[in-house]
Amino acid sequence: MVAEPPGRGHNRGPALEPGRGWRLHCWTKARADLLPTLPIEILRNRVRRAAELGLDYRTYASVRASTGHDVVAFLFSSNALRVFPGQGLPADRAARLERLAVGRIGLAQGRLLPDALLAAAGGLLEGAHPAPPPFAGWSEQRRRLRTALGRIPSDQVILVGDAAGEREWAEAARLAAYIAADRYMPAG
């Protein structure tokens, strides 16, 4: 008798019929064996790298695990940087950008022009580009973000944003991750 394959939504975990305990043990062990055991020096380097990027280790490890790559750049929305027409970059945001030793690209939103964002950042951004307009479709969002990234692979970039629609940009462009500005650059 051939067992039927699990139905939709099944995580292929152990069944709940008799012998469940043994199957659960085997399944748990098999899952644990799939996870790599990192040498302590690699783990230390990754913890150090997470700190260099201003990320907690869990977020950094999640990006590494999901993409298989290190982070090489950040995209910052002008909202996340708190730069608006006629205003400069706040000191706390400037200090955060100054500590980053990876690519830093700005996305100018609304009436803010990319040149004005670059000027406000005072040399702390390597480039600035127009952000996708509100309610833009995924293809337009992807096109704008790919233009901003140039030759940088999207799965090696984290977007730091501060408005509801910005999380969607990361999904549309298949970026490594989205981080809310208040989590990445907390006030204080």
Side-chain angles (χ1 to χ4, degrees), residues 2-17:
V2 176
E4 288 186 32
R8 269 178 71 179
H10 195 285
N11 68 359
R12 300 196 184 274
L16 299 176
E17 52 240 15

Side-chain angles (χ1 to χ4, degrees), residues 110-133:
R111 295 185 334 259
L112 183 66
L113 298 175
D115 289 340
L117 178 56
L118 275 177
L124 294 174
L125 292 175
E126 295 167 3
H129 299 270

Side-chain angles (χ1 to χ4, degrees), residues 41-53 57:
E41 197 50 43
I42 290 175
L43 187 60
R44 284 185 186 134
N45 286 338
R46 290 187 179 181
V47 167
R48 188 173 20 257
R49 178 67 172 156
E52 289 172 3
L53 295 171
Y57 179 73

Side-chain angles (χ1 to χ4, degrees), residues 41-126:
E41 197 50 43
I42 290 175
L43 187 60
R44 284 185 186 134
N45 286 338
R46 290 187 179 181
V47 167
R48 188 173 20 257
R49 178 67 172 156
E52 289 172 3
L53 295 171
L55 300 171
D56 59 272
Y57 179 73
R58 175 176 257 177
T59 300
Y60 178 71
S62 173
V63 168
R64 290 286 310 229
S66 65
T67 67
H69 300 288
D70 194 14
V71 176
V72 299
F74 280 84
L75 279 172
F76 293 95
S77 75
S78 55
N79 286 335
L81 294 174
R82 305 282 191 269
V83 175
F84 305 103
Q87 296 180 355
L89 183 66
D92 62 330
R93 301 307 205 228
R96 185 66 143 166
L97 290 178
E98 212 165 25
R99 290 191 301 264
L100 273 178
V102 294
R104 300 172 304 258
I105 303 166
L107 296 170
Q109 296 181 271
R111 295 185 334 259
L112 183 66
L113 298 175
D115 289 340
L117 178 56
L118 275 177
L124 294 174
L125 292 175
E126 295 167 3

Side-chain angles (χ1 to χ4, degrees), residues 75-81 105-110 117 129-146 148-149 154 157-179:
L75 279 172
F76 293 95
S77 75
S78 55
N79 286 335
L81 294 174
I105 303 166
L107 296 170
Q109 296 181 271
L117 178 56
H129 299 270
F135 311 111
W138 277 49
S139 60
E140 175 65 10
Q141 292 175 24
R142 185 178 311 109
R143 186 187 67 74
R144 295 259 182 140
L145 294 174
R146 284 300 326 145
L149 293 176
S154 57
V157 178
I158 293 177
L159 172 65
V160 178
D162 196 40
E166 295 172 6
R167 178 181 299 275
E168 191 175 274
W169 299 350
E171 294 169 13
R174 295 188 178 117
L175 300 178
Y178 170 87
I179 299 177

